[in-house]
Amino acid sequence: MVSEHGKQGNRISSWMMFLLAAACGLIVANLYYAQPLVGPISVATGLTAATAGFIVTMTQIGYVAGLLFIVPLSDVIENRRLTVIMLMVAVGALLTAGLASNAPLFFIASLFIGIASVVAQILVPFAAYLASEDQRGRVVGNVMSGLLLGIMFARPLASFVTSLWGWRAIFILSAIVISLLTALLSFALPVRKPFPAVRYEKLIVSLGAIFQQTPSLRRRAMYQACLFGAFSLFWTVVPLHLADHFGMSQIGIAWFALVGVGGAIAAPIAGRLADKGWSKVLTGIAMIVAVLSFLLIHLFQGSSSFALILLFVSAITLDMAVSGNLVIGQRTIYSLGSEARGRLNGLFMAIFFVGGAIGSSLGGWSYAHGGWSLTSLIGTILPLLALVYFLTEKRTTERVELTSHGS
């Protein structure tokens, strides 16, 4: 058994570390399977082009709700039981999505896929609790690597599977995989009973006070919300754009999505440079890179090879900007104090996922009404807004901001 006041003294095994990393990757991938499949899902469920963006938006809204209302439960409910329950919800939602014949049912399933996928944000701190002090950083880093791999490979995997067996197959296959994972985790995970120093209702209420009294959180969350909004807009619309203007099949779209994985190299580089005091400079660079990524593909449109090459380059640079700024933002949030770190991280992620939900819904609307020209213009404006806001930033004394919150 593992509790807040009786944590096991053993070092976490390599097997458990691998299991938690793989679990986080498999779970969080469910958030991204629908992104490259907006076209075929829209046709099958009778959605119009203007409302197609809501396919991704509903999943992101569910994830935000889970971050705000489910993740805090891990501070008061035994973690293994909570993990198993939420994964069972995920299995039901995935099966429903795979079998849905109309848009309302698919939207409901997407909402619950998002809610249940926050289990990944329960397992990452679980790994930290299982690790001994001298291995905690390495363990959390490895588990986060699994989570990031799940995010990066979800889109190309969904496209490849769809090209073979149709779009429903990825949801059915994921339901089977998550079912097996649920059974494995129910046996492999130790019991962790948190010591509920604060009641669940007070934890939820405290979120408002933390948000109000922590300007660094508000700034970092808004920066990332604008960048993630542009990111979600891009990946919601680009599969439609590639099919409409370049005649790409699902396999071609899958290869395009795989190229975007290259942007993930920015995350560890940004982390190391931020440790050396480069956070503010890197934040500005990330925003400028995001603006230029969209500006170039807005200025050079069409169906030429040059336009396609620019799309490939922009996919990589946009991913670099978003992943790099995310690491810098999390580093800033984690430095504010340990007594409310879980709630700080939950608020941070919830706010920028709201930005993602807005971006994906805007993408569907803009592509239907103004094509790629309007979509890429909006994509340019979103990180530009973040850059303007960033230029108003002043130096603050971040570490003392949470002293009034307690735990």
Side-chain angles (χ1 to χ4, degrees):
M1 178 181 292
V2 182
S3 68
E4 301 306 300
H5 294 280
K7 193 172 94 67
Q8 68 181 22
N10 297 330
R11 294 167 63 86
I12 187 171
S13 66
S14 297
W15 154 247
M16 180 59 71
M17 188 161 48
F18 172 79
L19 175 61
L20 290 172
C24 285
L26 292 169
I27 293 164
V28 82
N30 291 319
L31 295 171
Y32 298 92
Y33 288 140
Q35 247 179 358
L37 310 180
V38 169
I41 293 174
S42 298
V43 172
T45 57
L47 281 172
T48 64
T51 56
F54 285 105
I55 290 172
V56 180
T57 301
M58 291 303 291
T59 309
Q60 292 170 330
I61 290 173
Y63 196 69
V64 170
L67 286 168
L68 293 176
F69 300 108
I70 302 299
V71 171
L73 283 172
S74 65
D75 288 335
V76 292
I77 291 179
E78 196 279 303
N79 282 195
R80 183 176 66 181
R81 186 170 73 234
L82 180 61
T83 296
V84 170
I85 290 171
M86 294 312 299
L87 287 179
M88 290 171 66
V89 172
V91 171
L94 287 163
L95 287 173
T96 303
L99 299 173
S101 58
N102 57 72
L105 187 58
F106 188 86
F107 283 156
I108 293 171
S110 297
L111 183 71
F112 279 94
I113 288 172
I115 292 172
S117 294
V118 297
V119 169
Q121 297 302 326
I122 295 172
L123 292 179
V124 173
F126 200 158
Y129 282 109
L130 292 177
S132 60
E133 191 67 33
D134 65 320
Q135 63 170 179
R136 183 166 295 142
R138 180 172 63 88
V139 168
V140 172
N142 287 340
V143 173
M144 281 300 296
S145 294
L147 187 147
L148 290 172
L149 284 172
I151 293 173
M152 290 186 294
F153 285 104
R155 287 185 294 265
L157 178 63
S159 291
F160 280 127
V161 170
T162 299
S163 69
L164 294 173
W165 301 302
W167 68 267
R168 298 180 188 275
I170 188 65
F171 295 101
I172 303 298
L173 287 173
S174 184
I176 295 169
V177 170
I178 298 299
S179 296
L180 296 173
L181 178 65
T182 304
L184 183 57
L185 290 176
S186 68
F187 287 105
L189 286 181
V191 172
R192 178 192 163 224
K193 289 185 177 179
F195 187 78
V198 182
R199 294 178 62 185
Y200 175 72
E201 308 92 271
K202 290 186 177 180
L203 283 175
I204 299 300
V205 171
S206 72
L207 293 175
I210 291 173
F211 178 76
Q212 183 180 6
Q213 299 175 28
T214 315
S216 296
L217 167 67
R218 295 197 299 272
R219 276 194 169 273
R220 282 288 158 186
M222 289 307 297
Y223 296 162
Q224 191 65 18
C226 290
L227 265 64
F228 193 62
F231 175 88
S232 294
L233 179 143
F234 179 88
W235 285 107
T236 298
V237 176
V238 80
L240 300 173
H241 182 57
L242 290 171
D244 293 344
H245 291 271
F246 298 95
M248 278 198 183
S249 64
Q250 280 299 143
I251 291 182
I253 293 170
W255 284 113
F256 181 90
L258 201 56
V259 168
V261 170
I265 63 170
I269 296 172
R272 285 197 294 271
L273 291 175
D275 286 338
K276 297 179 180 179
W278 287 66
S279 291
K280 191 166 185 176
V281 173
L282 289 170
T283 300
I285 291 173
M287 293 171 182
I288 292 169
V289 168
V291 171
L292 291 176
S293 297
F294 260 108
L295 184 60
L296 285 174
I297 55 179
H298 176 70
L299 294 175
F300 298 96
Q301 300 182 35
S303 303
S304 66
S305 297
F306 180 68
L308 182 59
I309 291 170
L310 276 182
L311 278 174
F312 273 91
V313 173
S314 293
I316 297 171
T317 55
L318 185 61
D319 278 18
M320 290 178 70
V322 174
S323 60
N325 194 65
L326 174 59
V327 170
I328 298 166
Q330 285 184 308
R331 183 184 182 279
T332 302
I333 297 306
Y334 289 157
S335 71
L336 294 175
S338 60
E339 69 274 13
R341 187 170 291 164
R343 281 166 283 167
L344 282 164
N345 190 51
L347 276 169
F348 174 66
M349 297 193 70
I351 292 166
F352 85 69
F353 261 89
V354 168
I358 292 171
S360 55
S361 58
L362 274 176
W365 173 85
S366 62
Y367 192 70
H369 291 87
W372 182 251
S373 182
L374 178 59
T375 302
S376 56
L377 178 61
I378 293 173
T380 306
I381 291 172
L382 288 173
L384 189 60
L385 290 174
L387 182 60
V388 171
Y389 185 36
F390 168 71
L391 293 176
T392 68
E393 182 177 310
K394 297 177 181 178
R395 188 176 295 277
T396 58
T397 52
E398 299 171 299
R399 189 170 287 278
V400 298
E401 290 172 350
L402 295 180
T403 53
S404 64
H405 296 161
S407 60

